[in-house]
Coordinates of all heavy atoms in Angstrom, one line a residue:
K618 N 121.5 61.4 148.8 CA 121.2 60.0 149.0 C 122.4 59.4 149.8 O 123.5 59.3 149.4 CB 121.0 59.3 147.6 CG 119.8 59.8 147.0 CD 119.4 59.1 145.7 CE 120.1 59.7 144.5 NZ 119.9 59.1 143.3
K633 N 118.1 57.5 162.1 CA 116.7 57.9 162.6 C 116.5 59.4 162.4 O 115.4 59.8 162.1 CB 116.5 57.6 164.1 CG 116.3 56.1 164.3 CD 116.1 55.8 165.8 CE 115.7 54.3 165.9 NZ 115.7 53.9 167.3
D644 N 111.9 72.8 160.3 CA 111.6 73.9 159.5 C 112.6 74.1 158.3 O 112.9 75.3 158.0 CB 111.4 75.2 160.3 CG 110.4 76.2 159.7 OD1 109.7 75.8 158.8 OD2 110.5 77.4 160.1
A664 N 121.7 44.3 158.4 CA 121.5 45.6 157.8 C 120.0 45.8 157.5 O 119.5 46.9 157.6 CB 122.4 45.7 156.5
S675 N 110.1 50.5 153.9 CA 110.4 49.2 153.4 C 110.6 49.2 151.9 O 109.8 49.9 151.2 CB 109.3 48.2 153.8 OG 109.4 47.0 153.1
L710 N 138.6 55.9 153.5 CA 139.4 55.8 152.3 C 138.7 54.9 151.3 O 138.7 55.2 150.1 CB 140.7 55.2 152.7 CG 141.9 55.3 151.8 CD1 142.1 56.8 151.4 CD2 143.1 54.7 152.4
T726 N 140.1 60.4 162.9 CA 141.0 59.3 162.6 C 141.8 59.0 163.9 O 141.5 59.6 165.0 CB 142.1 59.7 161.5 OG1 142.6 61.0 161.9 CG2 141.5 59.7 160.1
V727 N 142.8 58.1 163.9 CA 143.5 57.8 165.0 C 144.7 58.8 165.2 O 145.0 59.1 166.4 CB 144.1 56.4 164.9 CG1 145.2 56.1 165.9 CG2 143.0 55.3 165.0
L744 N 136.0 65.3 146.1 CA 134.8 64.8 146.9 C 134.7 65.5 148.2 O 135.7 65.8 148.9 CB 135.1 63.3 147.1 CG 135.0 62.4 145.9 CD1 135.6 61.0 146.2 CD2 133.6 62.3 145.4
L746 N 134.3 65.9 152.1 CA 134.7 65.1 153.3 C 134.6 66.0 154.5 O 135.1 67.2 154.5 CB 136.2 64.7 153.1 CG 136.9 64.0 154.3 CD1 136.3 62.6 154.5 CD2 138.4 63.8 154.0
A749 N 132.3 64.5 161.4 CA 130.9 64.7 161.9 C 130.9 65.1 163.4 O 130.6 64.3 164.3 CB 130.1 63.4 161.7
L801 N 140.7 49.4 169.5 CA 139.7 50.3 168.9 C 139.9 51.8 169.2 O 139.0 52.6 169.2 CB 138.3 49.8 169.4 CG 137.9 48.4 169.0 CD1 136.5 48.0 169.5 CD2 138.0 48.2 167.5
G804 N 139.5 55.0 175.1 CA 140.0 56.0 176.1 C 139.2 57.2 176.0 O 138.4 57.4 175.1
A805 N 139.4 58.1 177.0 CA 138.6 59.3 177.1 C 139.0 60.3 175.9 O 138.1 60.9 175.3 CB 138.9 60.0 178.4
W816 N 135.1 72.7 171.9 CA 134.7 74.0 172.4 C 135.9 74.9 172.5 O 135.8 76.1 172.3 CB 134.1 73.8 173.8 CG 132.6 73.5 173.6 CD1 132.0 72.2 173.5 CD2 131.6 74.4 173.3 NE1 130.7 72.3 173.2 CE2 130.4 73.7 173.1 CE3 131.5 75.8 173.2 CZ2 129.2 74.3 172.8 CZ3 130.3 76.4 172.9 CH2 129.2 75.7 172.7
D825 N 142.7 84.1 165.5 CA 143.8 84.5 164.7 C 143.5 84.0 163.3 O 143.2 82.9 163.1 CB 145.1 83.9 165.2 CG 145.4 84.4 166.6 OD1 145.9 85.5 166.7 OD2 145.1 83.6 167.5
H836 N 148.4 66.2 180.8 CA 148.6 65.1 181.7 C 147.5 64.0 181.5 O 146.4 64.3 181.4 CB 148.6 65.6 183.2 CG 149.0 64.5 184.1 ND1 148.0 63.9 185.0 CD2 150.1 63.9 184.3 CE1 148.6 63.0 185.7 NE2 149.9 62.9 185.3
Q838 N 146.0 60.3 183.0 CA 146.0 59.2 184.0 C 145.4 58.0 183.3 O 144.4 58.1 182.6 CB 145.0 59.6 185.2 CG 145.5 60.8 186.0 CD 144.5 61.2 187.0 OE1 143.9 60.4 187.7 NE2 144.3 62.5 187.2
P896 N 125.9 68.7 178.4 CA 127.1 68.1 178.0 C 127.7 68.8 176.7 O 126.9 69.4 175.9 CB 126.7 66.7 177.6 CG 125.3 66.9 177.1 CD 124.7 68.0 177.9
L901 N 122.6 72.6 175.3 CA 121.2 73.1 175.1 C 120.9 74.4 175.9 O 119.8 74.9 175.9 CB 120.2 72.0 175.6 CG 120.2 70.7 174.8 CD1 119.3 69.7 175.3 CD2 119.9 70.9 173.3
G912 N 124.9 94.9 183.7 CA 123.7 94.1 183.6 C 123.7 92.8 184.4 O 122.7 92.1 184.5
R920 N 117.8 76.1 174.5 CA 117.5 75.8 173.1 C 117.2 74.2 173.0 O 118.1 73.5 172.5 CB 118.7 76.1 172.2 CG 119.1 77.6 172.3 CD 118.1 78.5 171.6 NE 118.5 79.9 171.7 CZ 118.0 80.7 172.6 NH1 117.1 80.4 173.5 NH2 118.4 82.0 172.6
A935 N 124.5 68.5 153.1 CA 123.7 68.5 151.9 C 123.9 69.8 151.2 O 124.1 69.9 150.0 CB 122.3 68.2 152.2
S955 N 144.3 70.1 163.0 CA 144.9 70.7 164.2 C 144.5 70.0 165.5 O 145.3 69.7 166.4 CB 144.5 72.2 164.2 OG 145.4 72.9 165.0
V959 N 146.8 68.0 168.2 CA 146.8 68.2 169.6 C 146.7 66.9 170.3 O 147.5 66.5 171.3 CB 145.7 69.2 170.1 CG1 145.5 69.1 171.6 CG2 145.9 70.6 169.6
I975 N 146.4 50.0 163.8 CA 145.4 51.1 163.7 C 146.1 52.5 163.6 O 145.5 53.5 163.2 CB 144.3 51.1 164.8 CG1 144.9 51.4 166.2 CG2 143.5 49.8 164.7 CD1 143.9 51.7 167.2
S977 N 148.4 52.8 161.5 CA 149.0 52.7 160.2 C 148.5 53.8 159.2 O 147.3 54.1 159.3 CB 148.7 51.3 159.6 OG 149.0 51.3 158.3

Side-chain angles (χ1 to χ4, degrees):
K618 292 187 271 178
K633 283 182 175 171
D644 208 15
S675 169
L710 200 56
T726 47
V727 166
L744 292 166
L746 173 66
L801 299 178
W816 275 96
D825 297 279
H836 184 252
Q838 297 173 44
L901 299 177
R920 303 287 179 264
S955 201
V959 168
I975 64 165
S977 171

